[in-house]
Amino acid sequence: MKFLRRLTAPAAALAIAVTAATGTLITPTAGAAALTPADIAGDTPLSEIAPETAPVTENSPYWRRAVAADESGRVEELVATSPAMDGRKVSLAVIKAPNPGAPTYYMLNGADGGEGGANWIQQSDILEFFQDKNVNVVIPMEGQFSYYTDWVTEQPQLGGKQMWETFLTQELPGPIEEYLQAGDKRAISGMSMSATSSLLLAQHNPDFYDAVGSFSGCAATSNPVGYTSMQVTLNRANTTPEAMWGPRGTGTWHYNDALINAEKLEGTELYVSNGSGLAGSWDLPSSPRLEGANQVQASAAMAETIIVGGAIEAVTNTCTHDLNTKLQANGINGDFNFRNTGTHSWGYWQDDLYDSWPTIARGLGL
């Protein structure tokens, strides 16, 4: 099954533009996670894992139909409960490793959390990519506009309590890794909104993730650029950063700023990518993602990614350079992939799926 070859709207529109720059690729030192899911969970009630029993129909979301249509026998739709979110049932798309004892790779979707069409399954060939790799892949298909963090307020429009960090780091890993007969290594990656999340989850749980990927994200959250980025994203859900973390300037904000806490990534294999904001191969009429689109559709998609996606990517480019500078100042190296071109759109995150794998695999011991 081929991924959808079309451009999608960027995750958010920012009224900020910055100067784009290029960078280099730096090879990090290898690290090894030391903590187990039980260490992280402590006394936290755990998720219950079960296969999804709801029928798949022609009206089901694309990702459910793609999972159901997979013929490898290794792709499955599961449901995990979240005690911290009042028993909420969270859908998971899972690619099972061919052998027991394999590591686990958690991959997060962007601003729509996978609840819309902007998710890894619909916008990339992720199901095919991992077929020849001995790794379990877990993709939560919910969590829109959550930043996959624990909120200080409930959000009825987002389903009530938002305790995504508790779910992803304490409630889920033990049960899902036991279900998959997984080994003791794990990695996490995200793009756009969840690129920030993947960094924070690793920083909050040192020695738990062996590798981390962050694609087109903004590590900073409390400076003007980072705050505005979050504000624009959360405005789409009729909420605010303050509803998420409380008043600015409090300890919660310091704790959730991945730039301030960059040194906590030491010892973790790290891949971080960003385009420049300038139009690249995925934004042009020749892009395979525009295959089958008429002239009007192609023009609209190109305008969206080049104008809006270009501005967003230019902002995250600055964020990513700031993270690189902070890490180097602390003697920490990572694989930083600064592209000369590229907008905030799925073609480039499809590239990141491939480009990040050597770093992720190294961390996972593959």
Side-chain angles (χ1 to χ4, degrees):
M1 180 177 297
K2 297 296 184 182
F3 70 94
L4 294 192
R5 298 180 179 273
R6 61 181 177 84
L7 291 169
T8 56
L14 296 181
I16 303 172
V18 295
T19 302
T22 60
T24 57
L25 193 69
I26 302 171
T27 303
T29 56
L35 298 181
T36 69
D39 293 329
I40 299 296
D43 295 331
T44 302
L46 303 180
S47 296
E48 294 181 1
I49 308 295
E52 175 59 79
T53 58
V56 176
T57 70
E58 61 181 13
N59 295 321
S60 297
Y62 175 91
W63 74 267
R64 292 198 68 214
R65 289 181 280 126
V67 167
D70 185 88
E71 297 179 351
S72 69
R74 291 176 47 205
V75 181
E76 185 176 7
E77 180 181 355
L78 301 174
V79 176
T81 61
S82 172
M85 291 190 281
D86 295 333
R88 177 173 179 165
K89 295 182 178 180
V90 179
S91 297
L92 308 172
V94 173
I95 307 169
K96 295 178 287 188
N99 302 306
T104 304
Y105 189 13
Y106 297 89
M107 295 203 70
L108 305 179
N109 291 305
D112 84 348
E115 297 179 39
N119 61 71
W120 282 109
I121 294 176
Q122 186 159 343
Q123 300 298 334
S124 79
D125 64 354
I126 192 169
L127 297 182
E128 291 83 2
F129 179 75
F130 284 108
Q131 283 297 319
D132 64 346
K133 296 170 178 60
N134 190 37
V135 61
N136 299 293
V137 181
V138 178
I139 313 171
M141 298 304 296
E142 298 183 29
Q144 61 178 341
F145 305 113
S146 69
Y147 274 89
Y148 293 106
T149 188
D150 288 352
W151 289 52
V152 300
T153 66
E154 292 194 23
Q155 298 292 303
Q157 78 278 24
L158 297 179
K161 286 186 178 180
Q162 301 294 295
M163 300 294 290
W164 289 97
E165 178 168 346
T166 297
F167 172 70
L168 289 171
T169 62
Q170 298 178 47
E171 297 176 340
L172 179 64
I176 191 64
E177 292 176 22
E178 180 180 4
Y179 180 92
L180 295 170
Q181 298 182 295
D184 59 0
K185 288 183 173 291
R186 64 194 59 80
I188 189 166
S189 288
M191 36 70 60
S192 190
M193 176 192 82
S194 66
T196 305
S197 310
S198 65
L199 294 171
L200 287 171
L201 295 178
Q203 291 172 349
H204 294 171
N205 301 278
D207 295 328
F208 189 53
Y209 298 102
D210 298 277
V212 178
S214 176
F215 317 146
S216 299
C218 191
T221 55
S222 56
N223 69 21
V225 172
Y227 176 82
T228 301
S229 176
M230 289 196 305
Q231 185 179 47
V232 173
T233 299
L234 294 176
N235 280 350
R236 297 172 61 198
N238 298 314
T239 189
T240 66
E242 288 80 7
M244 185 166 68
W245 290 333
R248 291 180 72 181
T250 61
T252 302
W253 279 82
H254 186 285
Y255 177 69
N256 286 299
D257 191 306
L259 181 62
I260 291 175
N261 295 288
E263 68 276 4
K264 295 181 180 178
L265 294 169
E266 184 174 9
T268 303
E269 294 285 357
L270 183 64
Y271 173 94
V272 186
S273 68
N274 225 106
S276 67
L278 300 175
S281 60
W282 290 108
D283 307 300
L284 302 178
S286 58
S287 168
R289 296 183 71 84
L290 293 176
E291 186 178 299
N294 60 40
Q295 186 173 355
V296 173
Q297 293 169 330
S299 296
M302 289 171 58
E304 183 75 13
T305 57
I306 292 173
I307 298 172
V308 180
I312 297 172
E313 196 71 2
V315 172
T316 59
N317 182 282
T318 292
C319 293
T320 302
H321 273 91
D322 289 344
L323 177 62
N324 190 19
T325 299
K326 179 71 179 291
L327 287 171
Q328 289 186 329
N330 282 275
I332 302 170
N333 292 327
D335 285 335
F336 276 79
N337 183 8
F338 289 105
R339 300 186 178 97
N340 294 329
T341 60
T343 63
H344 206 72
S345 55
W346 272 100
Y348 303 100
W349 302 325
Q350 162 80 12
D351 291 342
D352 283 322
L353 178 66
Y354 287 75
D355 294 342
S356 65
W357 181 242
T359 303
I360 303 299
R362 185 168 62 241
L364 297 176
L366 297 176

